Amino acid sequence: MTQLARRIKTTDNGLTDLFAYASNPDLISFAGGYPNDQLFPKAELQAAFSDTLATGDATLFQYTSTSGLESLRTKFAKRAEQAGVQATAANVLLTQGAQQGIDLTAKLLLNPGDGMVVEGPTYLGALSAFDAYEPTYYEAPMEDDGLDVNELQKILMTHSVKFIYTIPDFQNPTGVTMSLEKRKALVRLANQYDVIILEDTPYRDLRFSGAALPAIKSFDTEGRVIMLGSCSKILSPSLRLGWLIADEKLLKPITALKLASDVQSSNLTMRAVDRYLTDNDLDQHIQAMNTAYATKKDAMMNAIKTYFPEKIHVVNPAGGFFIFIQNVGNLDMTQFLKQTMLAENIAYVPSEHLFPVSNTKNAARLNYTNLTEKTIQLGIQKLGGQLKQHLAQTNWSTDIQLESISTN
Amino acid sequence: MTQLARRIKTTDNGLTDLFAYASNPDLISFAGGYPNDQLFPKAELQAAFSDTLATGDATLFQYTSTSGLESLRTKFAKRAEQAGVQATAANVLLTQGAQQGIDLTAKLLLNPGDGMVVEGPTYLGALSAFDAYEPTYYEAPMEDDGLDVNELQKILMTHSVKFIYTIPDFQNPTGVTMSLEKRKALVRLANQYDVIILEDTPYRDLRFSGAALPAIKSFDTEGRVIMLGSCSKILSPSLRLGWLIADEKLLKPITALKLASDVQSSNLTMRAVDRYLTDNDLDQHIQAMNTAYATKKDAMMNAIKTYFPEKIHVVNPAGGFFIFIQNVGNLDMTQFLKQTMLAENIAYVPSEHLFPVSNTKNAARLNYTNLTEKTIQLGIQKLGGQLKQHLAQTNWSTDIQLESISTN
C-alpha cells in the first residue's frame, strides 16, 4: 500500500490508554484542559448570534476575505495594546483557534530538519503541529520565572534555529509566567541570532492576582515576533476563533498559507463575535471567570500543601488552567498513572511527552477548571497518599515552592 | 532576516492584477466562483442556528471531538450512498470546507519531491494547497469526458506517483464530467500502480440535466479513494463545513493531522447544520438552486453560440459553476485579459496557472452564477467581439462542441 509521508508517525503519544478511562463516571480527572462550560457567557453569545442572523444579510452566509472581518481584526489589534503591542487590523489574521496560528507559523518557517526551540515542558498540541514539518527540536528548560535564557543562548550559539515557541503567561503545562527581564532578553537573543519568536498567549487574560506583564511582542523592534491570541479560553472554544499578529512582511505569506489550508474562517462566526464584543464588556466577563477559577486553583494548592509529600516541586500559578508537579523523586509518572492511579480513579497528564527531547518522566500536569473544590480536595488527597507511599523509599533533591513567584 | 521555508514562493499566481479591478462597479466579472447568495436558504439556516442556540445547552460552546459531530457524520455517510458509496460515521471526518480535506490529504501523503497527478487544467486552490508540500506535478490532460486515461497510464508507468487529484463532476474549471468507463478505469489504474485517488466533489449535486454517475469511490475495493464533499456550494460557504470519506486506516492519521492543524471544527456550527438537515429537505433546496443556475448557464451558452468565433472549443456543462473556452487560437488569454478585456470592463480567469506543468495559455474559465442573464449576454457579446477581432488573423484547429457530452 502507498507509503504515507515521513511526517506520519504510527506510534501514539501514550495518551490513548488514558482516554479509554475518560468515560468512567467515578474518575476524578486532573488530565483535562477544557474551560468550564458553566462559565461561558451563554446568553450573551446566543444574543450575538441571534442579532447577527436577524440582520437578514445574505452575505453572512457568503465567502469573505482570508484575512477575516476587518472590524474584528481592529478589535483584536486594539486589545493587543493592553499588552503594549502596537498593531492595526493590517497586522492581524483571524485563525481557526490559536492552534491554526501554530500550524501556519511552522508551515511558514520549517523545512524538514530545521532547528527550533521549545520550552521543556511545553504544550503537547503545539508539538503535534510542529511534528508535521519534521523539525529538529531543542529544549530550553523551564525555570520558575520562565525558560532558562542561558540555556537558550547556548542552543542558539551552537545550532541553527528558525524559531522559538514560547507560552509566556501561565504556561501550559507549568503555570509559570515569564519575568519581564526574560521577555526582554528573549527579544535581544532573537535579534542577535536572527530567530523568529512565536508567542502563544491563550491564558494571558486569565490572571488571578498581580499585574499583567507586557507581551514579548511589545519589545519587538525588528518584526520578528509572531503573537497568537485565542477566544477559546476567554470566550468559547466552539467559536474556533483565534488571531495572529505579525508584521506585514510575515503576515502576507502566512495569509497565503491560510488561504491554501482552509480558504478563510467563518463569516457568520466572525460577525457574531464582532457583535458580542460590541455589545458586551469582555474584560468584565473574564474577571468573573477568573474569580471562579482562582477559587478552584486555591483549593488545589491548599490540598497539595496538606496532602503531598514535602519535597515535590510545585509553583503556585497566578493564573491559567494548570498546576505542574515536578521532581517527583525518580517516579515515572506515566507508569505510576497506569499501574497505580487509574485503579484509584485518578487521572493526570504525565510529563514524558511534554518534553520532546529529554522525555522527563518524573512530573505531571494537573488541571482544576472543571472540578468542584470538594472533588479537587478528594482527588489530591488520594494522589498525595499514593505519592507518599511510593516515594517513601526514594530520594529526591529539590524543594517545594508553594508561593507564587510568577506574578512578575 | 530569517529564511522562510522553501514552500513559500514569493512569486504570485498572476491574479493579483485582476483583483485590483474587482471593485470597479462597471466590471462584468466572469472571474468569480462564488455561489449566488440570493439562493442561500437564509431563513432555514437562521432557524437552524436559532433553534440550536435556544436549546440552552452549554456544551454547544465547548470543545468536541476532532472527528466531528457523530449524527452529522452519519448524515453525510448516508448522503454518500446516493453516489453508490458504502460508508458509516466511522469513515467520515468533518473538515473546514473541502479545502481542508485537500490540504490534509497532501499532508498525509507527500514528502518534498513526491510525484502526484493533477488534471490539466485543475482547481487553482488545490494547487496552492499541494504547493505547500512541494510535489512534482504530472498533468493528465482533460478530455470532454474526463481526464485522458491513456496519458495517465503513461505517467504511472514511467514515474513514481503518490496520488491523483480529480474533480469528476462538473470539473473546475472545465465543467466536464468524467464518464462511467473512465471512473472504473481510474480505480483499476490506481490499484495496479498502488496510487491513492483524491476525489473532490464540490459540484456533484449541482446537476442541471441527465442522471448522476456513481462516485469513483463507489468502485474502490482497496480503500484507496479519499472522497471530499462540501457544504459551500450546496448550502453556504460561511459554514466552512466539508467532509472527507476514507477507509479507517487512512482516516486515523488524517484525523490526527486535523487535530494538529486546528483541533476540530466548530461544535455550534456542526450542531446547527445537523439541525438544518433534520428539519429541511436539502435535495429540494438544491433542485431549486439548480433551476436558477441552469437558466444562467443556458444564457451563457446561447450567447457563446451567437457571439463567439466558431472554432473555439466549448463543452456545454451539465451542471456546476463554469464554462471553459479552449483552443482560443494562439491567443495568450492572460495578456488578452490585461491588454484588451479589462479595458472593456470584462474579466475572466485565464488558464495559464490552472495547468501547473504545461501552463497552457489559450484558454479561460467563465463563471455565470452571480450574473443576470442580461449581463451575461452583454459580457459575452463584448468578449466574443474582441475575440473575433483578435483571432481574425490567426489559425486554429479544433471544432466547437456546443452540445453537452458530459451527462454520462
Side-chain angles (χ1 to χ4, degrees):
Chain A
M1 192 66 182
T2 310
Q3 288 296 308
L4 305 185
R6 279 189 307 265
R7 66 176 62 85
I8 307 300
K9 305 288 183 283
T10 49
T11 55
D12 80 31
N13 62 8
L15 297 180
T16 311
D17 291 351
L18 196 56
F19 290 127
Y21 284 87
S23 58
N24 170 3
D26 294 328
L27 184 74
I28 298 177
S29 179
F30 299 126
Y34 284 16
N36 189 316
D37 53 37
Q38 297 309 309
L39 301 176
F40 294 144
K42 221 172 52 176
E44 292 80 2
L45 283 171
Q46 186 175 342
F49 272 92
S50 297
D51 293 349
T52 302
L53 289 161
T55 60
D57 182 354
T59 68
L60 279 178
F61 295 110
Q62 187 56 285
Y63 285 109
T64 182
S65 76
T66 299
S67 299
L69 186 67
E70 188 172 358
S71 55
L72 187 53
R73 287 187 285 130
T74 300
K75 286 186 174 70
F76 289 135
K78 280 212 163 66
R79 202 165 170 80
E81 284 179 18
Q82 296 175 12
V85 176
Q86 298 298 319
T88 70
N91 304 114
V92 180
L93 170 71
L94 299 185
T95 58
Q96 287 299 116
Q99 184 73 27
Q100 187 178 44
I102 295 172
D103 179 62
L104 294 181
T105 301
K107 207 169 186 176
L108 176 77
L109 295 171
L110 293 175
N111 293 317
D114 277 354
M116 67 169 293
V117 177
V118 296
E119 295 166 328
T122 190
Y123 163 49
L124 190 63
L127 294 174
S128 301
F130 300 145
D131 282 351
Y133 306 97
E134 303 174 82
T136 302
Y137 288 114
Y138 302 101
E139 206 177 280
M142 281 298 280
E143 300 179 307
D144 295 349
D145 61 348
L147 63 78
D148 185 331
V149 175
N150 293 325
E151 287 300 316
L152 173 63
Q153 181 155 24
K154 281 184 200 164
I155 294 166
L156 297 177
M157 283 170 66
T158 49
H159 300 284
S160 174
V161 162
K162 281 284 186 77
F163 75 107
I164 303 163
Y165 173 69
T166 177
I167 308 167
D169 310 284
F170 322 120
Q171 197 237 17
N172 179 0
T174 61
V176 158
T177 293
M178 190 185 290
S179 69
L180 184 64
E181 292 66 33
K182 286 191 171 180
R183 287 168 195 244
K184 292 176 182 171
L186 207 61
V187 173
R188 275 198 305 273
L189 287 172
N191 290 343
Q192 185 178 347
Y193 292 95
D194 190 16
V195 171
I196 299 286
I197 296 171
L198 178 58
E199 179 182 24
D200 191 11
T201 70
Y203 306 102
R204 179 179 170 85
D205 290 328
L206 303 176
R207 176 174 280 278
F208 310 152
S209 60
L213 292 175
I216 297 171
K217 175 79 180 152
S218 73
F219 303 110
D220 180 22
T221 54
E222 301 187 359
R224 54 173 76 252
V225 180
I226 297 171
M227 184 180 179
L228 304 179
S230 173
C231 288
S232 293
K233 308 302 190 286
I234 57 175
L235 201 48
S236 154
S238 177
L239 303 168
R240 307 306 310 125
L241 192 70
W243 60 97
L244 181 152
I245 300 180
D247 262 35
E248 290 184 59
K249 68 181 181 301
L250 291 177
L251 199 62
K252 196 179 165 188
I254 292 174
T255 304
L257 290 174
K258 160 95 179 159
L259 176 65
S261 295
D262 67 0
V263 187
Q264 59 194 226
S265 292
S266 163
N267 196 16
L268 172 63
T269 302
M270 293 188 289
R271 293 272 292 270
V273 173
D274 190 55
R275 181 77 186 232
Y276 171 89
L277 292 174
T278 299
D279 293 350
N280 297 275
D281 182 341
L282 176 61
D283 288 312
Q284 197 171 47
H285 161 66
I286 291 172
Q287 212 174 341
M289 230 174 16
N290 284 345
T291 304
Y293 285 147
T295 305
K296 293 173 190 291
K297 190 269 290 179
D298 288 343
M300 186 175 275
M301 280 307 296
N302 288 334
I304 286 174
K305 280 185 204 175
T306 309
Y307 299 114
F308 266 33
E310 272 186 9
K311 289 191 175 176
I312 292 175
H313 185 67
V314 182
V315 173
N316 184 358
F321 275 21
F322 306 111
I323 291 174
F324 197 62
I325 63 174
Q326 281 177 278
N327 295 319
V328 187
N330 53 14
L331 213 54
D332 176 335
M333 291 297 281
T334 305
Q335 292 309 314
F336 181 64
L337 177 68
K338 290 180 182 174
Q339 290 164 9
T340 305
M341 292 318 301
L342 284 175
E344 298 281 322
N345 289 327
I346 303 286
Y348 54 79
V349 175
S351 61
E352 184 174 352
H353 297 283
L354 311 179
F355 293 88
V357 181
S358 65
N359 293 125
T360 303
K361 292 180 177 61
N362 64 342
R365 189 189 79 175
L366 306 178
N367 165 262
Y368 43 77
T369 54
N370 275 289
L371 302 169
T372 64
E373 293 167 61
K374 197 175 156 188
T375 308
I376 289 170
Q377 196 193 7
L378 184 67
I380 293 294
Q381 185 175 5
K382 278 187 167 183
L383 179 57
Q386 290 293 334
L387 283 172
K388 277 181 177 159
Q389 205 172 309
H390 282 76
L391 288 170
Q393 263 79 19
T394 66
N395 295 316
W396 61 88
S397 54
T398 51
D399 295 324
I400 194 158
Q401 165 65 42
L402 286 170
E403 295 315 306
S404 170
I405 56 167
S406 62
T407 50
N408 55 48
Chain B
M1 194 64 183
T2 311
Q3 287 296 309
L4 305 184
R6 279 189 307 265
R7 65 176 62 85
I8 308 300
K9 304 289 182 282
T10 49
T11 54
D12 80 29
N13 61 11
L15 296 180
T16 311
D17 291 350
L18 197 56
F19 289 128
Y21 285 86
S23 57
N24 171 3
D26 295 327
L27 185 74
I28 297 177
S29 180
F30 298 126
Y34 284 16
N36 190 317
D37 53 36
Q38 297 308 311
L39 301 176
F40 295 144
K42 224 172 50 174
E44 293 80 2
L45 283 170
Q46 184 175 344
F49 272 92
S50 297
D51 293 349
T52 303
L53 288 160
T55 61
D57 181 355
T59 67
L60 279 179
F61 295 109
Q62 187 56 284
Y63 285 109
T64 182
S65 75
T66 298
S67 299
L69 186 67
E70 189 173 356
S71 55
L72 187 54
R73 287 187 284 129
T74 300
K75 286 186 175 69
F76 290 135
K78 281 211 164 67
R79 203 165 168 78
E81 283 178 20
Q82 296 176 11
V85 175
Q86 298 298 318
T88 69
N91 303 115
V92 180
L93 171 70
L94 300 185
T95 57
Q96 287 300 115
Q99 184 72 27
Q100 187 178 44
I102 296 172
D103 179 62
L104 295 180
T105 301
K107 208 170 187 174
L108 176 78
L109 296 171
L110 293 175
N111 293 317
D114 278 354
M116 67 170 294
V117 177
V118 297
E119 295 165 329
T122 189
Y123 164 50
L124 189 65
L127 294 174
S128 301
F130 300 145
D131 282 351
Y133 304 97
E134 303 173 81
T136 302
Y137 289 114
Y138 302 101
E139 205 177 282
M142 281 298 280
E143 301 179 305
D144 295 348
D145 61 348
L147 64 78
D148 184 331
V149 175
N150 293 326
E151 288 300 316
L152 173 63
Q153 181 155 24
K154 281 185 201 164
I155 294 166
L156 296 177
M157 282 170 67
T158 50
H159 300 285
S160 174
V161 162
K162 281 284 186 77
F163 75 107
I164 303 162
Y165 173 68
T166 178
I167 308 167
D169 310 284
F170 322 118
Q171 196 237 18
N172 179 359
T174 60
V176 158
T177 293
M178 190 185 290
S179 69
L180 184 65
E181 293 65 33
K182 285 191 171 180
R183 287 168 197 244
K184 291 177 182 170
L186 207 62
V187 172
R188 275 198 305 273
L189 287 172
N191 289 343
Q192 185 180 347
Y193 292 96
D194 190 17
V195 171
I196 300 286
I197 296 170
L198 178 58
E199 179 183 23
D200 191 10
T201 70
Y203 307 101
R204 180 179 169 83
D205 291 328
L206 302 178
R207 176 174 281 278
F208 309 153
S209 61
L213 293 176
I216 297 170
K217 175 80 181 151
S218 74
F219 304 110
D220 181 23
T221 54
E222 300 187 0
R224 53 174 77 253
V225 180
I226 298 172
M227 183 180 178
L228 304 179
S230 173
C231 288
S232 294
K233 308 301 189 286
I234 56 176
L235 203 48
S236 153
S238 177
L239 303 168
R240 308 305 311 124
L241 193 70
W243 60 96
L244 181 153
I245 300 180
D247 262 35
E248 290 184 58
K249 67 180 180 302
L250 292 177
L251 199 62
K252 196 178 165 187
I254 293 175
T255 305
L257 290 174
K258 160 96 180 159
L259 176 65
S261 296
D262 67 0
V263 186
Q264 58 195 225
S265 293
S266 163
N267 196 15
L268 172 62
T269 302
M270 293 188 290
R271 292 273 291 270
V273 173
D274 191 55
R275 181 77 185 233
Y276 171 88
L277 293 174
T278 299
D279 293 350
N280 297 276
D281 183 340
L282 175 61
D283 287 313
Q284 199 171 45
H285 162 65
I286 292 172
Q287 211 174 341
M289 231 173 15
N290 284 345
T291 303
Y293 285 147
T295 305
K296 292 172 190 293
K297 190 268 290 180
D298 288 342
M300 186 174 277
M301 278 308 296
N302 288 334
I304 285 174
K305 280 185 205 176
T306 308
Y307 299 113
F308 266 33
E310 273 187 8
K311 290 192 173 179
I312 292 175
H313 185 66
V314 183
V315 172
N316 184 358
F321 275 21
F322 306 110
I323 290 174
F324 197 62
I325 62 173
Q326 281 176 279
N327 295 318
V328 187
N330 53 13
L331 214 55
D332 176 335
M333 291 297 282
T334 304
Q335 292 309 315
F336 181 64
L337 177 68
K338 290 181 182 174
Q339 291 165 7
T340 305
M341 292 316 302
L342 284 175
E344 299 279 323
N345 290 326
I346 302 286
Y348 55 78
V349 175
S351 61
E352 183 174 353
H353 297 281
L354 311 180
F355 293 88
V357 181
S358 65
N359 293 127
T360 303
K361 291 179 177 62
N362 64 342
R365 190 189 78 176
L366 306 179
N367 166 262
Y368 44 75
T369 54
N370 275 289
L371 301 170
T372 63
E373 292 167 61
K374 195 176 158 188
T375 308
I376 288 170
Q377 197 193 4
L378 184 66
I380 293 294
Q381 185 174 5
K382 277 187 170 184
L383 180 57
Q386 289 293 333
L387 283 172
K388 277 183 178 159
Q389 204 173 309
H390 282 76
L391 287 171
Q393 263 77 20
T394 66
N395 294 316
W396 60 89
S397 55
T398 52
D399 296 323
I400 194 159
Q401 166 64 44
L402 285 170
E403 293 315 306
S404 170
I405 57 167
S406 63
T407 50
N408 55 49

